[in-house]
Amino acid sequence: MNLYINGCSFSAGTQKVSHLSPDTINWGLYLQDNFKNIVNDAIEGGSNHRLFRQATEFINNTENLDDWIFVLQLTNPERTEFFLEKYGAWIGVMKDLHFTEDRILHENKDVVSEVENFFQRLIMPTVFMTRTLDQGIFETYNMLNTFIGLCKHKNIKFLITGMSNKCMPNVFKESGTDGEPFNGLDFPVFDKSNFVMPVSNITFNHKISEDDRHPNKEGHIIFARYILNEIEKRWQI
């Protein structure tokens, strides 16, 4: 069985494995002994638009989907992305920051300058300054339910998790931490059966610091065990 992962920094990781390695510590690393292949397309600052776009592209370009399990980690619904046709590049937008898809174009200073101009001249005044949380939630509702429908149609094995409660629909009554209510996003989903707890609810105090709430190494290990358990409840791997 193979595993596909997508999401933001909570699945991509933010800390290096070592100062000699470009790889980051992330929960997917701790599942390598359980799957034949793991594809982790998560990226720091990634949006729900990006993860659903890439996951759908992966599905459309992959044979033997019966051999794959998809784990998508929802993130802040206010994030988005835009396509810069001239360079064939997706521009991710996170708050008042932006990045080029997979940082491919950052090697060319002229391109970086033009992307910066595009962002400051067009995206900031027309999108960022007018974009609302409700708009992001509505878009997430549409993308999520469309993806669930696609997976049902193609009999794809999938799990939906999130960065935190605020990134997920209200599919749980309690948050899993001291009996607190879940308090997620208020919109319906077609099928709740393949939703699992958000990363933050499982890693809890296993964070990098009080100022940086991303999971530390132990947190990623704990979440890897949790995801593996949720997978094994549903499918044989």
Side-chain angles (χ1 to χ4, degrees):
M1 191 63 70
N2 306 297
L3 179 65
Y4 178 87
I5 301 168
N6 209 324
C8 67
S9 52
F10 277 67
S11 291
T14 58
Q15 295 180 306
K16 298 295 184 184
V17 172
S18 74
H19 69 283
L20 299 175
S21 172
D23 297 328
T24 54
I25 296 170
N26 64 78
W27 54 267
L29 289 178
Y30 303 104
L31 294 172
Q32 290 180 335
D33 291 339
N34 304 98
F35 293 90
K36 183 178 180 181
N37 296 296
I38 295 179
V39 174
N40 189 345
D41 280 339
I43 192 172
E44 288 186 61
S47 66
N48 291 330
H49 293 75
R50 177 186 183 275
L51 78 87
F52 285 119
R53 171 177 60 82
Q54 288 196 331
T56 302
E57 288 175 354
F58 189 89
I59 288 171
N60 290 338
N61 294 321
T62 301
E63 298 180 355
N64 302 320
L65 287 169
D66 287 345
D67 296 332
W68 286 88
I69 295 173
F70 291 75
V71 180
L72 300 191
Q73 174 248 302
L74 300 174
T75 188
N76 190 319
E78 290 180 281
R79 298 178 185 179
T80 188
E81 66 174 4
F82 293 89
F83 188 68
L84 189 57
E85 187 173 3
K86 179 176 180 180
Y87 296 109
W90 287 93
I91 311 300
V93 180
M94 180 182 67
K95 296 183 179 180
D96 57 347
L97 304 174
H98 68 284
F99 62 88
T100 307
E101 175 67 29
D102 298 327
R103 281 65 172 184
I104 294 172
L105 301 182
H106 284 216
E107 299 175 3
N108 185 318
K109 291 183 180 179
D110 291 335
V111 174
V112 172
S113 176
E114 187 164 340
V115 169
E116 178 66 24
N117 178 61
F118 171 78
F119 182 78
Q120 295 293 341
R121 182 170 53 86
L122 295 176
I123 302 304
M124 278 291 288
T126 62
V127 178
F128 174 72
M129 299 303 292
T130 60
R131 186 170 175 78
T132 66
L133 176 60
D134 285 343
Q135 180 181 351
I137 292 173
F138 181 70
E139 291 166 355
T140 300
Y141 160 78
N142 284 323
M143 292 185 292
L144 177 57
N145 281 304
T146 299
F147 183 78
I148 292 173
L150 173 65
C151 290
K152 294 293 183 182
H153 177 69
K154 291 182 173 286
N155 294 317
I156 293 170
K157 296 178 280 291
F158 71 98
L159 293 178
I160 303 293
T161 182
M163 178 175 68
S164 65
N165 295 11
K166 68 179 183 179
C167 302
M168 291 183 64
N170 257 328
V171 294
F172 301 105
K173 291 183 178 179
E174 295 183 354
S175 66
T177 53
D178 299 328
E180 292 293 322
F182 191 76
N183 289 333
L185 302 177
D186 188 19
F187 66 77
V189 291
F190 297 155
D191 186 342
K192 301 178 181 180
S193 59
N194 289 343
F195 281 80
V196 296
M197 282 289 178
V199 179
S200 297
N201 297 45
I202 301 302
T203 59
F204 198 42
N205 287 326
H206 298 282
K207 53 192 177 224
I208 293 174
S209 69
E210 287 301 321
D211 295 326
D212 186 345
R213 304 185 69 81
H214 289 91
N216 57 20
K217 180 179 179 179
E218 184 62 27
H220 282 288
I221 292 173
I222 290 170
F223 193 72
R225 292 172 183 161
Y226 170 72
I227 283 292
L228 183 60
N229 181 58
E230 291 296 325
I231 288 173
E232 289 178 335
K233 285 180 183 178
R234 293 168 172 82
W235 308 289
Q236 184 177 356
I237 62 172

